[in-house]
Amino acid sequence: MPSRFAEWVDERSGVKSVWRTIFGRNIPKVNWWYTLGSATLLVVINQFITGILLTIYYSPSPQDAYASVEFITYEVSAGWLIRGLHHWGASAMVVLAVAHMVRVILYGAYKFPREITWFTGVGLLLVTIGFGFTGYLLPWDQKAYWATTVGTRMLGAVPGIGDWLLRMARGGTDLTAVTLTRFFAIHVWVLPATLLGLLGVHLYLVIRLGISAPPFGRWKRQAEDEIEERRQETV
Amino acid sequence: MDPQTDVNPEPPSEVAPASEEGTETAEPGPEDPGRRRFLTLATVSLSGVIAGGLGIPAFAYLADVANPVGDEAAWVPVGSTNLLEPGSPLLVRYTVRRNVGWVEQENEVALYLVAGADGEVTGLSNICPHLGCRVRWVDERQKFFCPCHNGVFAIDGTVEEGPPPEPLPHLEVKVEGSQVLARERIENA
């Protein structure tokens, strides 16, 4: 039942047609493997919400980082839940993104005309790994410290500019307060901004191009037809 | 119509014709109203459960530090009665250590000790009840003045001029021998 307010907004913004384009689009009758992208998106939303909540009590300095994480975990109401969701969500995000990618590879869904969707997807996976790497340091415990020592040291193995890369990553020769603040900044500013940009293009293309039909069974012909049709259009 | 290749932002028709698969199989198509209503309801309910499951803890998490913790404050010596003269409030300071979040922090507490003619000592907060600026005693004028919005208080803390809605709060002090002891304000007792 359209309220007068909804009508008022729609008249000025056209929001209904946007809604229909996103949620009212037709999709082929496919299988559960097609839900992995949406599942990853749900985890991304979870990471944004819980991540913002964590920054409310977290303090990125060597003196305070571990104590503030302990405070969140053991003192603040539901802090254990918020941190737990962020912690396990991080792993889930990697697992789901990779599973989504495997589906796309096995179904050949990266092929024409969806190459750009694939490229942005690869970018999103790299961003996800970047999130995992930078977020791992933030509790500033022994595991975080040594994992980052080893992880940044790997950069040193790059021929020629390895030493410089190592110092760029650490903000100096050692793992210090400077490393912690730059990892924090990358984790909460650089990567989320990059993720939103790539995700915007990724989702736009998914909606613009539609999802691909599975390349087998009763859908096989349809998938082939689609590719042929697209090719004709662009020729 | 090929269902997944409709890229037109203006949908050509509200209700899409049944896809070929839909008509071939016996199960109801996506435009079946009962099925559609059920799926809509299920989606909305599940979204509500997720939003509430995260929203309620999130609120508790944010609101947590807004609740005062009733730490029993200790009596602290702040000065000697020998220093007090009637008609001349004395500003004294002491520090309290308290746990704030994950850090132990030193807070300075300041108060005015006001000696009465009978030797009784009262403690007056130096925090203006208007918007929290620090008031100061001006001996020549025999008044407390707030520098922020020109609040003026008498020696007993009552408001004489300006916006303060109430007098300067009285603080707990006691005299033991020649020592004056005070204890920290207990917020929202």
Side-chain angles (χ1 to χ4, degrees), chain A residues 12-30:
Chain A
R12 284 151 185 82
S13 62
V15 70
K16 275 185 185 170
S17 73
V18 174
W19 178 271
R20 272 198 303 267
T21 306
I22 296 173
F23 296 106
R25 68 201 152 93
N26 297 315
I27 55 167
K29 194 168 187 313
V30 290

Side-chain angles (χ1 to χ4, degrees), chain A residues 5 8 23 31 41 178 180 200 215 224 231:
Chain A
F5 177 70
W8 188 91
F23 296 106
N31 57 38
L41 179 62
V178 178
L180 182 56
E224 286 166 358
R231 195 158 273 146

Side-chain angles (χ1 to χ4, degrees), chain A residues 9 27 36 49-50 65 74 76 90 92 100 104 136 138 183 196 201 207:
Chain A
V9 171
I27 55 167
L36 288 166
I49 295 171
T50 54
Y74 300 112
V76 185
H100 174 52
V104 169
Y136 208 74
L138 303 183
F183 270 52
L196 286 177
V201 177
I207 289 161

Side-chain angles (χ1 to χ4, degrees), chain A residues 20-21 26 28 53-54 56-57 59 64 67-68 71 76-78 81 85 208-211 222 226 230, chain B residues 1-5 7 9 11 14 16 21 25 27 53-54 57-58 60-62 64-65 101-103:
Chain A
R20 272 198 303 267
T21 306
N26 297 315
L53 288 170
L54 287 173
I56 286 176
Y57 293 109
S59 174
D64 293 332
S68 65
F71 180 70
V76 185
S77 300
L81 179 66
L85 282 170
R208 180 181 162 78
L209 301 171
I211 57 173
Q222 199 182 340
E226 186 200 339
R230 290 280 173 182
Chain B
M1 143 186 182
D2 195 357
Q4 77 274 29
T5 53
V7 297
E14 275 302 312
E21 298 85 55
T25 53
E27 54 188 288
L54 190 55
Y61 177 88
L62 290 172
D64 190 299
V65 288
W102 55 93
V103 285

Side-chain angles (χ1 to χ4, degrees), chain A residues 30-174:
Chain A
V30 290
N31 57 38
W32 283 94
W33 296 104
Y34 280 77
T35 59
L36 288 166
S38 301
T40 314
L41 179 62
L42 181 75
V43 176
V44 168
I45 294 167
N46 173 68
Q47 295 306 91
F48 266 92
I49 295 171
T50 54
I52 288 168
L53 288 170
L54 287 173
T55 60
I56 286 176
Y57 293 109
Y58 176 73
S59 174
S61 79
Q63 287 79 25
D64 293 332
Y66 185 71
S68 65
V69 170
E70 264 192 324
F71 180 70
I72 291 168
T73 314
Y74 300 112
E75 305 281 335
V76 185
S77 300
W80 59 272
L81 179 66
I82 304 293
R83 184 177 170 220
L85 282 170
H86 199 76
H87 176 98
W88 292 104
S91 298
M93 194 167 146
V94 176
V95 170
L96 288 169
V98 169
H100 174 52
M101 197 175 204
V102 167
R103 197 279 293 172
V104 169
I105 294 171
L106 294 182
Y107 282 26
Y110 53 86
K111 291 178 187 173
F112 177 87
R114 299 187 177 83
E115 294 96 326
I116 301 174
T117 322
W118 170 263
F119 296 148
T120 51
V122 172
L124 284 165
L125 186 69
L126 293 175
V127 167
T128 304
I129 292 165
F131 268 122
F133 183 60
T134 51
Y136 208 74
L137 178 66
L138 303 183
W140 201 251
D141 54 9
Q142 287 291 324
K143 195 170 64 163
Y145 187 90
W146 294 107
T148 307
T149 300
V150 172
T152 49
R153 188 69 175 269
M154 288 177 190
L155 284 170
V158 175
I161 56 166
D163 264 357
W164 182 81
L165 281 179
L166 174 70
R167 276 180 278 118
M168 272 298 274
R170 291 184 178 176
T173 48
D174 300 311

